[in-house]
C-alpha cells in the first residue's frame, strides 16, 4: 500500500459504518460499501471519521472495520484512518496498529481543550513527534471541535511538522483560508500539502477554484464529488458546476445536524450499498415526513441529471 503524501488528490470518501437494525456491526455491508465506493471512482477511503460514528465503536470493532476495509481493497486504494483520541498514547497505539495493517495514513482532530494559537501548534507538534514517520491529516473542523486554527498556525505546522501531509479543510466559511494557505505555498514560504475539503461537498466547486485538490467527505452520491473534481481537473468548470447543481438540494439536506447522517444512510440503504440505514444508539430516526422529503429530492435529482445528461 502506498503511503499518503502531499500529492494526494481526488475524492477520499468518508465511509459510513454499517450496522444491523439491532445495532450490531454489519461487516458484510462493509464489503458491499467498499465495492460501491471503488466502483464510483473514488481515489481513497477514509474510515473511523466523525460521521462514521467512530465514537460509538469499541476498540475491537474499530479494528474489525479497518481490517475488513483493507482486506476488501487489497491495496487498490489508499485508506486513511481517523485516530483522534483524548491522549497521545491511545492515538499513537491505534495509528501504529492500522499502519501495520496496511493503512496509508491517519487523521487527527484537535481536542476541544485547544484554545490558543500556541496550543494548536503545540498539539500538532506533539502529534508529529508521537507518530514518527506516520503521515497524518490535520482535520480542521471547528464547527464540531470548537477549535479554530488560523492559516498562520497551519503554515507553521506545515513548516515544522514534516509528517503533516494533508489538511482536511472543513472550516465554514473557510474559502479565504484555502486562498491564504495556497498563497503561502505559492510564494515558497511553506510546503504545498494536499488540501481535501469536507462539509458534505457543499462548497466543493468554490473550494476547487481556490486551490483545493479534491474532497474528503461522505455525501451519499460520491459520483457527484468524483464528477466535480474530475471536470475541474479537465478545466471544465461550467460542467463541474452543472453536475454539482443537480445534487445540491440533497447535499444541503444532508447537512442537518443529527438527521443528516440518518438521511445519508437511508439513501445508501435504498441504493443497496448497505443493508440497513440504522445508526447506532443514541441516534436520531427519520420520520415519515423526513423520508418524504428525501424521496422528493431524489426524484427531482433524477430528473435534473437526465436533463443535463449526467
Amino acid at each position: 500500500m502506498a503511503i499518503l503524501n502531499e500529492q494526494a488528490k481526488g475524492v477520499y470518501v468518508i465511509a459510513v459504518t454499517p450496522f444491523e437494525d439491532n445495532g450490531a456491526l454489519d461487516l458484510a455491508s462493509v464489503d458491499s460499501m467498499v465495492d460501491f465506493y471503488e466502483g464510483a471512482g473514488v481515489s481513497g477511503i477514509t474510515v473511523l471519521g466523525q460521521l462514521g460514528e467512530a465514537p460509538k465503536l469499541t476498540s475491537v470493532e474499530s479494528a474489525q472495520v479497518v481490517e475488513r476495509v483493507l482486506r476488501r481493497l487489497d491495496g487498490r486504494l489508499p485508506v486513511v484512518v481517523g485516530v483522534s483520541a483524548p491522549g497521545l498514547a491511545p492515538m499513537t497505539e491505534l495509528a501504529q496498529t492500522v499502519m501495520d495493517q496496511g493503512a496509508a495514513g491517519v487523521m487527527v482532530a484537535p481536542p476541544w481543550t485547544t484554545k490558543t494559537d500556541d496550543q494548536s501548534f503545540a498539539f500538532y507538534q506533539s502529534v508529529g513527534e508521537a507518530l514518527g514517520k506516520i503521515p497524518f491529516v490535520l482535520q480542521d473542523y471547528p464547527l464540531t471541535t470548537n477549535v479554530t486554527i488560523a492559516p498562520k498556525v497551519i503554515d507553521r505546522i506545515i513548516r515544522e511538522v514534516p509528517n503533516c501531509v494533508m489538511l482536511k479543510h472543513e472550516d465554514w466559511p473557510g474559502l479565504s483560508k484555502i486562498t491564504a494557505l495556497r498563497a503561502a505555498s505559492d510564494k515558497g514560504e511553506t510546503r504545498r500539502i494536499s488540501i481535501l475539503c469536507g462539509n458534505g461537498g457543499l462548497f466543493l466547486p468554490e473550494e476547487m477554484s481556490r486551490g483545493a485538490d479534491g474532497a474528503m467527505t461522505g455525501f451519499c452520491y460520491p459520483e457527484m464529488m468524483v464528477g466535480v473534481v474530475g471536470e475541474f481537473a479537465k478545466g471544465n468548470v461550467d460542467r463541474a458546476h452543472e453536475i454539482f447543481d443537480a445534487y445540491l438540494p440533497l447535499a444541503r439536506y444532508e447537512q442537518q445536524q443529527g438527521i443528516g447522517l440518518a438521511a445519508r444512510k437511508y439513501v445508501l440503504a435504498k441504493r443497496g450499498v448497505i443493508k440497513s440505514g440504522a445508526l447506532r444508539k443514541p441516534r436520531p430516526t427519520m420520520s415519515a415526513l423526513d423520508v418524504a422529503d428525501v424521496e422528493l429530492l431524489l426524484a427531482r435529482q433524477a430528473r435534473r441529471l437526465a436533463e443535463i445528461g449526467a
Side-chain angles (χ1 to χ4, degrees), residues 19-25 61 278-281 283:
F19 296 108
E20 303 278 359
D21 288 337
N22 64 4
L25 193 61
E61 288 174 327
L279 280 68
R280 180 170 278 184
K281 295 179 180 179
R283 65 190 181 197

Side-chain angles (χ1 to χ4, degrees), residues 35-261:
D35 294 346
F36 167 74
Y37 286 142
E38 186 176 13
V42 303
S43 306
I45 296 178
T46 301
V47 298
L48 304 188
Q50 292 190 21
L51 288 184
E53 300 179 80
K56 299 179 183 178
L57 299 176
T58 68
S59 58
V60 172
E61 288 174 327
S62 296
Q64 287 178 312
V65 170
V66 174
E67 190 275 335
R68 192 81 174 209
V69 170
L70 289 168
R71 186 199 307 171
R72 191 70 174 183
L73 283 171
D74 195 25
R76 293 187 300 276
L77 292 176
V79 175
V80 175
V81 181
V83 297
S84 302
L88 293 177
M91 178 206 71
T92 305
E93 181 181 62
L94 178 56
Q96 191 59 63
T97 297
V98 300
M99 293 301 291
D100 290 344
Q101 290 176 317
V106 299
M107 181 167 65
V108 183
W112 66 270
T113 51
T114 306
K115 301 298 182 184
T116 68
D117 289 349
D118 286 344
Q119 288 173 340
S120 293
F121 172 76
F123 172 73
Y124 279 107
Q125 184 181 49
S126 298
V127 167
E129 292 172 351
L131 294 178
K133 294 183 179 180
I134 297 174
F136 73 90
V137 180
L138 190 167
Q139 185 175 10
D140 183 26
Y141 194 9
L143 273 73
T144 295
T145 63
N146 291 316
V147 178
T148 299
I149 309 177
K152 65 179 181 180
V153 179
I154 297 175
D155 281 338
R156 186 182 177 192
I157 293 168
I158 293 170
R159 286 194 302 269
E160 300 187 36
V161 184
N163 52 338
C164 176
V165 299
M166 180 187 291
L167 171 69
K168 185 188 178 188
H169 173 271
E170 224 158 3
D171 206 342
W172 181 353
L175 295 175
S176 61
K177 180 176 284 189
I178 299 175
T179 299
L181 293 171
R182 285 299 183 233
S185 61
D186 289 346
K187 294 175 185 175
E189 296 171 355
T190 62
R191 286 178 294 135
R192 187 191 191 282
I193 68 169
S194 174
I195 298 179
L196 300 186
C197 300
N199 287 318
L202 209 55
F203 304 99
L204 184 55
E206 292 78 15
E207 290 161 343
M208 296 297 296
S209 293
R210 296 294 185 104
D213 297 297
M216 183 184 279
T217 192
F219 180 51
C220 59
Y221 279 84
E223 303 96 316
M224 178 274 278
M225 299 180 291
V226 171
V228 170
V229 172
E231 295 298 338
F232 262 95
K234 293 184 287 188
N236 300 332
V237 175
D238 286 344
R239 180 60 174 172
H241 277 272
E242 195 172 48
I243 293 170
F244 175 78
D245 290 348
Y247 291 95
L248 177 57
L250 184 59
R252 173 186 59 85
Y253 197 89
E254 263 199 17
Q255 284 305 295
Q256 298 177 89
Q257 289 294 318
I259 196 66
L261 180 57

